[in-house]
Amino acid sequence: MAGAERQHNVIQDLLADLHASFKDVREGRVADYIPELAKACPDDFGIVIATSGGRLYEIGDTRKEFTIQSISKPFIYALALKMLSLDFMATKIDVEPSGEAFNAISLDPESGKPRNPMINAGAIAASAQICDADPAGAVELLLDYFAELAGRRLTINDAVYLSEKVTGHRNRAIGHLLRNFNIIESDPEPALDLYFQQCAISVTCKDLAVMAATLACQGRNPFTGGQPLSKDITVRVLALMGTCGMYDFAGQWLHDVGIPAKSGVAGGVMAVIPGRLGIATYSPPLDAFGNSVRGVAVCRQLSVGVGLSLFNQYFQKDATIRRSYKGSQRQSRRWRSDQELRILAPHRDEVRIIHVQGVLDFGGIEQLAAELVQLGSDVRILILDLAHVTECPLESSGLLDRQLCAIEDQGVEILLSRAGRLPLVSMPGWKISERVEAYEHLDSALEAAEDLLIARYAEPADDGEGLGLGALEEHGLLQLLDEEHRRILAERMTLRSFAAGECVIRRGEPGDELFLVRSGRFDIAIDVRTGDGLSRATRLATFGPGLCFGEIGFVAGTPRSADIIATRPGACWVLHRDAFEALRCSHPDVVIALLTALTCDIGAKLTQTSVQLTLMEHY
Ligand code: GLN
């Protein structure tokens, strides 16, 4: 059986429990003031949760179509804001809760402005603005927009539309009153017609949940990746759902349930937990306020039972700093010569590595700032690893910029690691961008920090490139040998130059040569299969002056296990197997001394690797 899944996801179980608890509730009445709505089956009952991660949980009648009715209101208002601007819409509709029924003729006595866009008067006023902007194309425009919100094409239920159109005298009266106050500036009939059509859009409970999840994700549909609404507009619409979404029950709703929501007379309820979930229910019987009885009960139970109220948020205490440790706790995969190691040893803790994770919103930046101000004055280089930062919202990014600039002003060099996916380095108005170096890999940042320390603390004579340059006799590997042995070896080794990018050792070739680096950089890269199952070319190690490579194949006589590439022009002294074999007969004591030196070298590398691995468990 393809894709057999484990049963008993607790969220699915939770929905099943909710459905079972409320399916037998018999309170409420199916709306009949629009004759066509009276045909709904009172037993229909569906619940869907759609997550910001793009997952769906559903139970009951979740794929049965019904008309959206008033749940269209937040979306239509959002569309009007998008098409006509906030300032313009503010001249047409207020944003105050009315505390009255959905069909109340609730207009400001002086300006004639509807109290808010979640009651019929405000919704008709919003539709009128859209209608005025594009009279001929308004319906198509609406359906295109709803297709983006729901992730599928929706249609209009003509029977319900016509049923309301012929009986909607109260709404018609509201439309004409709005015309009287010039809130609607032309004939109100086309606007009313658009309003009746928008209310008759057919949706399923699943559609509503996806639309709710789109609002939860700041206007981005987590199932399609489309962005029908901006973050700014979404925030405003959610606020209005919070204060006005449940008509004159809105205050009690916010108090008891604490979730922005919108209901419709056909029995739908849509609720949004910002950043997290969209919830939708479908059950036609309504209470005295016009809200679905079972829908209200489900939301109330979710809020109380599993803590979904907006006013019940957990502060993610100190979750932003994933790890923070000193430079001596982690070295780059660039092997260093003894000389370089001696320079680095007393200064490694001048480097601090901080791994940051999650959303760098206000709370995240506060935690990072608290960590940064605690850095000791001995810290001179800060590596900020951002691989696990999921977002850096524009609103709070300015604070991060200021904090980083302040640290930099105090003489701390900042290296950003794995910031690639974030707009950090290119953030508009960012001052720090010009002052930081960005690295694609943490290892490159670690290497750069070590290079900075070496450049800072090396004696003028042995800075950077110059380290180890000179005669073969001075090479690090040979320091364990006595002078005579060194001289004998030197006579049998040849100096070979490499161009940048040249392949020095190829995988599978016989391991017949031993390389002692005189200058340049030599990288071992292998394909590593990472956690996601993909294979990635990864730098295992880099060798510079004073180091040796190729020793395993050389000593064991086995083929090469990886490629080694010169990443810049350089030179190595090379000992060929033939010369080595000849030495076995002529100078066995030199062979023993060389093998001893190689054993020490491999041992040192193994120790360092083991230490790094052990430390990593504590990160
Ligand atoms: N079309 C309905 C009306 O205007 C919508 C009302 C509602 O869902 N509350 O009467």
Side-chain angles (χ1 to χ4, degrees), residues 157-283:
N157 179 329
D158 282 328
V160 174
Y161 156 55
L162 294 171
S163 179
E164 184 167 14
K165 190 176 164 81
V166 294
T167 57
H169 307 301
R170 189 180 175 95
N171 284 330
R172 194 159 279 115
I174 292 174
H176 283 270
L177 211 53
L178 289 168
R179 176 69 191 93
N180 172 66
F181 282 110
N182 258 334
I183 298 297
I184 297 179
E185 293 177 43
S186 53
D187 176 11
E189 285 301 328
L192 285 159
D193 194 58
L194 183 65
Y195 172 75
F196 295 140
Q197 291 194 65
Q198 97 195 18
C199 288
I201 291 175
S202 276
V203 288
T204 65
C205 199
K206 181 229 159 199
D207 294 329
L208 283 184
V210 172
M211 293 159 76
T214 302
L215 293 178
C217 295
Q218 301 174 320
R220 195 184 66 88
N221 182 327
F223 294 86
T224 65
Q227 177 98 37
L229 288 173
S230 72
K231 177 159 136 179
D232 190 37
I233 288 177
T234 307
V235 169
R236 287 162 199 275
V237 166
L238 284 175
L240 284 167
M241 283 169 59
T243 53
C244 321
M246 302 297 270
Y247 315 115
D248 46 340
F249 184 56
Q252 190 77 43
W253 174 267
L254 205 58
H255 174 271
D256 295 354
V257 181
I259 303 175
K262 189 72 203 79
S263 65
V265 283
V269 174
M270 173 187 83
V272 180
I273 318 287
R276 296 200 264 165
L277 305 174
I279 302 167
T281 59
Y282 169 52
S283 165

